[in-house]
């Protein structure tokens, strides 16, 4: 196991609602990345947080937002949910050092279903 | 632009057979990193290997081996003597130097039949 935890494991919401997903990073890691994985697809990068600030963002609208806390845990918030937001949301933690970014280790994911 | 292609959508093999999963990538960067992850039905992506672009040495880890060839932009993954527990979706991914996001292929679903 990686030591990366996510909650909740499953979630059902209705269109237009808001959702918050949580992630605790692996001990010793300072960076959290979030990915969305639609059914049958590879994960797509949403954004990354480093030192409590957004450190890069993929092609996702502003209604996808996040936070990183001093203990390096993170939240992903999605407002105004749409049916297409139904997916597996994966959190990955890693360590950024002077020489660059180390390997990203993933948590078990949160399965979100939007009805 | 970067791209990772896993042309094999699904593969089925009988237990104890060898199987190779193909990965072809595109990038203009001279420094980059390649990864393989395993995703069992539980959903968690399990890290298998990381390879730097400047290190073309092949690697073997137990029943797993990886063949990295820059000349053909390929990073193939072979499982020897496959087992039922190897059944999963396998993803190849690319990380550009200085970037913060992994770029994944669409995955290959491997089914090992007992």
């Amino acid at each position: 196991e990686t030591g990366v935890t996510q909650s909740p494991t499953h979630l059902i919401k209705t269109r237009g609602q808001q959702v918050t997903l949580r992630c605790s990073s692996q001990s010793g890691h300072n960076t959290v990345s979030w990915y969305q994985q639609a059914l049958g697809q590879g994960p797509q990068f949403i954004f990354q947080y480093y030192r409590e600030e957004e450190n890069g963002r993929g092609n996702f609208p502003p209604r996808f937002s996040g936070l990183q806390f001093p203990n390096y845990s993170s939240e992903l918030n999605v407002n105004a949910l749409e049916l297409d937001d139904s997916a597996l949301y994966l959190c990955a933690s890693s360590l950024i050092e002077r020489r660059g970014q180390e390997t990203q280790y993933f948590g078990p994911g949160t399965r979100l279903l939007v009805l | 632009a970067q791209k990772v292609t896993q042309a094999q959508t699904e593969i089925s093999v009988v237990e104890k057979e060898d199987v190779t999963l193909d990965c072809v990538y595109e990038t203009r960067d001279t420094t980059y990193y390649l990864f393989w992850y395993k995703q069992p039905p539980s959903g968690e992506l399990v890290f298998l290997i990381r390879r730097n672009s400047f290190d073309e040495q092949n690697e073997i880890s137990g029943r797993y081996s990886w063949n990295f060839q820059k000349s053909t932009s390929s990073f193939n993954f072979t499982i020897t003597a496959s087992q039922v527990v190897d059944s999963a979706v396998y993803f190849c991914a690319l990380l550009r130097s200085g970037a913060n996001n992994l770029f994944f292929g669409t995955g290959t679903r491997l089914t090992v039949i007992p």
Side-chain angles (χ1 to χ4, degrees):
Chain A
E1 293 194 1
T2 63
V4 180
T5 61
Q6 292 186 244
S7 62
T9 55
H10 296 80
L11 205 51
I12 300 175
K13 292 286 188 177
T14 56
R15 196 169 46 182
Q17 284 189 312
Q18 177 266 342
V19 68
T20 297
L21 310 182
R22 295 177 175 82
C23 171
S24 292
S25 60
Q26 182 174 322
S27 177
H29 286 180
N30 57 12
T31 305
V32 173
S33 304
W34 286 92
Y35 292 80
Q36 180 196 67
Q37 185 179 15
L39 197 62
Q41 301 296 316
Q44 300 288 319
F45 176 70
I46 303 175
F47 44 55
Q48 182 182 84
Y49 276 82
Y50 170 60
R51 291 184 175 178
E52 302 179 46
E53 291 189 358
E54 191 176 286
N55 183 44
R57 188 179 185 95
N59 189 26
F60 281 81
R63 59 189 186 84
F64 284 79
S65 63
L67 286 172
Q68 186 182 31
F69 300 99
N71 66 354
Y72 304 120
S73 65
S74 175
E75 286 183 355
L76 164 64
N77 299 291
V78 187
N79 294 323
L81 284 166
E82 300 177 359
L83 298 180
D84 285 348
D85 295 333
S86 296
L88 177 67
Y89 288 85
L90 293 162
C91 163
S93 79
S94 58
L95 177 66
I96 290 182
E97 297 181 307
R98 269 183 81 181
R99 61 181 175 151
Q101 181 167 216
E102 297 301 321
T103 299
Q104 296 185 15
Y105 293 91
F106 287 81
T110 295
R111 293 187 186 276
L112 172 65
L113 177 61
V114 182
L115 300 176
Chain B
Q2 55 190 359
K3 187 176 181 181
V4 176
T5 301
Q6 295 182 255
Q8 305 152 307
T9 306
E10 295 191 26
I11 300 176
S12 292
V13 298
V14 176
E15 200 171 20
K16 298 184 182 178
E17 286 185 344
D18 299 347
V19 58
T20 296
L21 309 182
D22 298 334
C23 173
V24 175
Y25 62 92
E26 294 179 27
T27 180
R28 294 180 180 178
D29 296 326
T30 55
T31 302
Y32 51 89
Y33 307 90
L34 296 165
F35 299 79
W36 276 95
Y37 285 88
K38 174 183 179 180
Q39 189 173 44
S42 61
E44 181 173 349
L45 279 170
V46 178
F47 166 73
L48 297 178
I49 191 170
R50 168 189 172 121
R51 175 61 70 217
N52 303 332
S53 57
F54 45 85
D55 180 6
E56 288 195 65
Q57 193 171 18
N58 292 329
E59 182 155 339
I60 298 175
S61 176
R63 297 184 297 107
Y64 295 171
S65 62
W66 291 269
N67 182 9
F68 176 33
Q69 292 193 345
K70 286 183 75 171
S71 61
T72 56
S73 297
S74 65
F75 186 41
N76 296 335
F77 172 31
T78 297
I79 302 174
T80 303
S82 59
Q83 300 177 0
V84 173
V85 294
D86 296 328
S87 296
V89 180
Y90 290 85
F91 289 96
C92 180
L94 172 71
L95 177 67
R96 299 171 57 195
S97 177
N100 44 28
N101 61 300
L102 287 164
F103 193 83
F104 286 86
T106 51
T108 297
R109 179 177 298 278
L110 173 65
T111 301
V112 181
I113 303 166

